[in-house]
Amino acid sequence: MLNVFVTVGTTKFDKFIRAITDIECIKVLEKRGCQHLTLQIGNGDYVPEYSKVGTVSIEYYRFKDTIKEDLQRADLVISHAGAGSCLETLELEKALLVVVNEDLMNNHQIEVAKKLSDCGYLYYTSCGKLTETLRLMDLTRLRMYPKRDPCKYANAIDNIMGFRRM
């Protein structure tokens, strides 16, 4: 696991960025083989204090037009639990750990993360348990997310509309 990419999307999730840049958390990443940690910190107020901890180099940015290159380069993605971020990562067949923002009202993120975890596609945790989860998770147990088949969607819509394919 050479490259780890962290994303909070467009949100402000300082608690997550503080947790992932905690020295103990970075040491666990280092033990797992991480050499480069890239953080997409969004609208947060907290800015990481370090550019290197042990052998782990750390860089951050707020936003880019697309994070696809960062996702493709990553050996592990650690993401907020937004459905779009989760699905984009899983479709690229990347190992994924989701950090749920427990401070959100009416938190659908927990439901999304739990369902995808129950299916074996990802791990999920909270900010308070992030270091422990990183230490204990077994990425070899994750299942690959199935590829989308646009024809299935089109066929389902046709059936709903009463059209029959010949």
Side-chain angles (χ1 to χ4, degrees):
M1 177 175 55
L2 299 175
N3 294 305
V4 176
F5 177 59
V6 173
T7 179
V8 301
T10 59
T11 64
K12 182 177 183 176
F13 198 177
D14 287 345
K15 193 173 182 180
F16 175 21
I17 298 301
R18 284 182 189 278
I20 195 68
T21 58
D22 178 81
I23 296 292
E24 288 306 310
C25 190
I26 294 172
K27 286 181 181 180
V28 169
L29 287 171
E30 183 179 37
K31 283 182 184 175
R32 293 192 69 115
C34 176
Q35 294 179 356
H36 192 80
L37 178 63
T38 303
L39 309 159
Q40 184 268 315
I41 65 171
N43 284 322
D45 295 323
Y46 178 74
V47 174
E49 300 174 27
Y50 314 105
S51 61
K52 190 164 184 119
V53 173
T55 61
V56 180
S57 65
I58 303 164
E59 67 177 334
Y60 71 91
Y61 62 88
R62 291 193 180 276
F63 299 103
K64 287 183 180 177
D65 290 337
T66 178
I67 62 170
K68 191 167 187 169
E69 279 185 23
D70 292 306
L71 291 171
Q72 289 172 328
R73 189 171 36 253
D75 298 300
L76 170 66
V77 176
I78 307 173
S79 175
H80 71 118
S85 295
C86 290
L87 293 177
E88 184 177 5
T89 301
L90 292 172
E91 287 173 353
L92 290 171
E93 300 180 350
K94 297 298 178 173
L96 177 59
L97 171 60
V98 167
V99 179
V100 175
N101 188 343
E102 297 174 310
D103 296 334
L104 294 177
M105 301 278 292
N106 302 318
N107 195 349
H108 71 282
Q109 290 190 357
I110 292 173
E111 295 166 8
V112 170
K114 182 165 180 11
K115 180 63 177 174
L116 291 170
S117 175
D118 288 348
C119 291
Y121 301 130
L122 56 77
Y123 286 98
Y124 79 98
T125 192
S126 63
C127 291
K129 294 182 179 181
L130 178 58
T131 301
E132 177 186 357
T133 303
L134 282 167
R135 186 178 295 118
L136 299 176
M137 69 183 184
D138 179 359
L139 298 177
T140 65
R141 298 186 60 138
L142 292 177
R143 296 174 52 212
M144 286 296 130
Y145 188 75
K147 295 284 186 193
R148 278 193 264 180
D149 182 353
C151 291
K152 285 184 180 179
Y153 180 76
N155 289 337
I157 296 296
D158 284 349
N159 286 334
I160 291 168
M161 299 301 293
F163 301 119
R164 302 261 179 222
R165 291 208 177 230
M166 305 233 163

